[in-house]
Amino acid sequence: MIEIKNISKWYGSFQVLTDCSTTIKQGEVVVVCGPSGSGKSTLIKTVNALEPIQKGDITIDGVSITHPNTNLPKLRSRVGMVFQHFELFPHLSVKDNLTLAQIKVLGRDKNDAMARGLKMLDRVGLSAHKDKFPGQLSGGQQQRVAIARALSMDPIVMLFDEPTSALDPEMVGEVLDVMVNLAQEGMTMMVVTHEMGFAKKVSNRVIFMDAGKIIEDCSKSEFFGNPDARSPRAQDFLSKILQH
Amino acid sequence: MNLDFSFLDTSVLSSYILKGFVFSIQLTLIAMVGGIVLGTILALMRLSGKPWLVVPAAAYVNTMRSIPLVMVILWFFLLIPLLLGKPMGAELSAMITFTLFEAAYYSEIMRAGIQSVPKGQVFAGYAVGMTYSQTMQLVVLPQAFRNMLPVLLTQTIILFQDTSLVYAIGAYDMLKGFEVAGKNFNRPVETYLVAAAVYFVICFSLSMVVKRLQAKIAIIR
């Protein structure tokens, strides 16, 4: 589904990603973790070309994101993305947030878009809030609407960029529940997160990054079950994050 | 000093002032709408990161902002007939000049407005498959416009005051109406006083509106 092939990225002379490669198969849930500044958020943003790469290539469903003939907006419309800070459109109601891209990008009929959007809103349990504006919702609710907005586009894969990092602790659960549900239904997911509980529960694979490099890329059971085989950097990270 | 306002009855107001008042408002509205549209395009050009768009837009804005408005009004009025080969009415000339001039100021406001929208919003637009122009039109500009509404209105108040500068090319605006009436009735002091009062009332009440808007927008955020 997603093939990341030897990508490197620089901000000026500073290299943020170094020769990263991995593959995400259909139906797979891959968690990307690592200390802050390790490049995991940058990596996930390169997947749908929100951040350009200077070397290597990424293909989504066989379509290269670096090929000059690729219609990037069209490719991105098939990839759902959820951001750390939700990024709902604050000037639009929840309903309009859900339908805007369906109508303007996919060319769906208004009624069809609304039906699809409301179905997804129901799925994240927020039907009652369809007429509100993002500013009237809690962080957890906003993030669930953001997930519904992405799902309304019928994506072939979902990218989550630290979806719970900006939330108050009591709201993390409601967002993770939606994500777990999604994973169990077979959605292909790439998730940057520190929520190791989520990784243990539903992921197939865990990628560990440090200093712009992919250090570990192994199955969940290998990653959590066989700590002695991990690199010192990953062991250190795991011991800190799993301490509590 | 003996002030006598009694000659300023409704017939004087309607025959001298109304026409000028209507033109002042017309000029303000046209220059506002045209200036914001053109200014937004200039702002997008300056933020595009493409030198062939950035350089001309920046040059235009910096030039307009460095020349006194009254000179732009005069030049345009005097030069256009030379270029077109036929004269252009003072009123039409004023409308074009003000639009072109105000665009430079509105563009700086819109530039700040566009930059006030977090980059994440642009990413969100792209991520759902929008093109650059869709992201701008549907996501960034509405927010930029809303954030900048008080500043845009404040600029419009200044614009309204500046419309009086069309005296330089003899266009018939509100001030001109008062001036002509003052001359005809030999009461220039009175008419200029009333003109000042009218400008004050309009501008001051508009700035009150701006204050309210500011409070409202602060709440929305």
Side-chain angles (χ1 to χ4, degrees):
Chain A
M1 182 66 69
I2 297 176
E3 254 188 279
I4 301 175
K5 289 177 265 187
N6 306 98
I7 64 162
S8 292
K9 176 180 173 65
W10 288 262
Y11 285 126
S13 61
F14 179 70
Q15 189 160 10
V16 278
L17 294 176
T18 307
D19 203 26
C20 296
S21 298
T22 191
T23 305
I24 296 171
K25 292 193 278 290
Q26 180 153 14
E28 227 181 355
V29 176
V30 175
V31 163
V32 183
C33 62
S36 44
S38 61
K40 54 196 190 308
S41 261
T42 308
L43 177 72
I44 202 169
K45 284 198 185 85
T46 62
V47 170
N48 58 355
L50 292 180
E51 293 279 7
I53 48 175
Q54 281 79 42
K55 243 186 176 169
D57 193 16
I58 297 173
T59 59
I60 300 172
D61 199 22
V63 182
S64 156
I65 64 157
T66 58
H67 195 279
N69 290 347
T70 297
N71 183 340
L72 269 184
K74 193 173 174 203
L75 185 60
R76 288 187 187 123
S77 73
R78 303 173 66 205
V79 178
M81 181 141 195
V82 175
F83 297 89
Q84 182 176 2
H85 296 286
F86 331 133
E87 306 300 350
L88 292 175
F89 305 131
H91 58 299
L92 300 176
S93 68
V94 167
K95 266 187 337 201
D96 291 340
N97 264 282
L98 294 168
T99 56
L100 180 71
Q102 290 189 68
I103 296 167
K104 299 285 181 183
V105 175
L106 301 181
R108 279 187 186 155
D109 171 83
K110 242 185 177 161
N111 296 327
D112 295 348
M114 188 61 78
R116 178 77 191 152
L118 291 180
K119 197 174 155 201
M120 290 304 118
L121 192 61
D122 184 45
R123 184 179 172 160
V124 299
L126 292 172
S127 292
H129 302 280
K130 64 181 192 309
D131 294 313
K132 289 192 179 161
F133 280 81
Q136 297 170 294
L137 302 175
S138 71
Q141 289 170 331
Q142 287 190 53
Q143 194 61 298
R144 282 148 70 196
V145 173
I147 295 172
R149 175 175 73 179
L151 292 176
S152 301
M153 301 290 284
D154 299 316
I156 55 171
V157 54
M158 287 281 287
L159 308 175
F160 292 83
D161 183 10
E162 305 206 31
T164 58
S165 302
L167 295 174
D168 289 336
E170 75 263 33
M171 290 168 187
V172 171
E174 62 187 79
V175 172
L176 287 177
D177 285 346
V178 172
M179 291 168 60
V180 166
N181 206 267
L182 208 53
Q184 285 166 346
E185 280 176 30
M187 175 62 82
T188 310
M189 293 162 71
M190 181 173 179
V191 185
V192 173
T193 187
H194 292 299
E195 297 293 338
M196 288 302 117
F198 173 82
K200 281 181 176 167
K201 194 167 180 183
V202 292
S203 78
N204 303 104
R205 249 169 55 225
V206 179
I207 290 173
F208 174 79
M209 288 184 73
D210 188 38
K213 293 191 185 103
I214 292 179
I215 309 268
E216 306 274 353
D217 184 351
C218 54
S219 72
K220 166 177 69 175
S221 52
E222 175 70 15
F223 189 78
F224 293 110
N226 192 4
D228 294 338
R230 306 275 70 79
S231 66
R233 196 66 198 82
Q235 281 188 27
D236 182 47
F237 178 79
L238 275 176
S239 71
K240 276 176 186 154
I241 213 158
L242 297 176
Q243 217 167 39
H244 303 285
Chain B
M1 197 157 73
N2 235 337
L3 292 178
D4 178 10
F5 294 97
S6 59
F7 69 97
L8 274 171
D9 54 18
T10 45
S11 77
V12 171
L13 286 178
S14 66
S15 53
Y16 287 90
I17 315 299
L18 186 65
K19 177 183 151 199
F21 177 75
V22 168
F23 176 69
S24 290
I25 298 294
Q26 239 178 4
L27 180 56
T28 305
L29 291 180
I30 287 172
M32 176 183 77
V33 174
I36 289 176
V37 170
L38 191 56
T40 303
I41 295 170
L42 286 167
L44 288 172
M45 285 169 73
R46 285 193 82 172
L47 293 171
S48 68
K50 298 186 174 77
W52 55 281
L53 290 174
V54 174
V55 172
Y60 179 87
V61 170
N62 289 328
T63 308
M64 280 299 189
R65 301 213 316 157
S66 311
I67 305 175
L69 175 54
V70 70
M71 282 178 76
V72 181
I73 295 170
L74 262 175
W75 278 354
F76 193 82
F77 184 62
L78 297 174
L79 287 179
I80 284 301
L82 296 179
L83 293 174
L84 289 181
K86 57 179 181 187
M88 182 184 258
E91 277 76 16
L92 179 59
S93 173
M95 285 173 185
I96 297 172
T97 314
F98 269 85
T99 302
L100 295 177
F101 186 83
E102 291 300 324
Y105 287 84
Y106 284 123
S107 93
E108 289 296 87
I109 297 170
M110 287 310 293
R111 189 159 70 121
I114 292 165
Q115 285 174 322
S116 76
V117 178
K119 187 151 190 244
Q121 286 287 305
V122 179
F123 279 163
Y126 286 158
V128 289
M130 290 184 195
T131 59
Y132 168 83
S133 69
Q134 283 178 322
T135 305
M136 283 298 147
Q137 265 179 50
L138 303 169
V139 177
V140 177
L141 288 179
Q143 293 182 62
F145 196 78
R146 191 192 69 185
N147 293 349
M148 288 295 129
L149 199 54
V151 193
L152 290 168
L153 267 179
T154 303
Q155 180 62 33
T156 304
I157 296 171
I158 298 169
L159 159 63
F160 175 65
Q161 292 167 2
D162 285 350
T163 56
S164 58
L165 289 175
V166 296
Y167 81 87
I169 55 173
Y172 199 103
D173 73 328
M174 184 168 79
L175 186 62
K176 178 88 167 186
F178 279 109
E179 188 192 322
V180 172
K183 272 190 185 140
N184 282 3
F185 291 90
N186 203 21
R187 289 274 173 208
V189 178
E190 284 85 344
T191 51
Y192 278 131
L193 273 175
V194 176
V198 173
Y199 277 109
F200 175 82
V201 168
I202 293 174
C203 294
F204 189 72
S205 33
L206 272 176
S207 66
M208 288 289 116
V209 172
V210 170
K211 251 191 180 168
R212 285 201 163 186
L213 265 178
Q214 256 164 345
K216 218 173 165 187
I217 287 170
I219 292 166
I220 297 173
R221 272 191 219 163

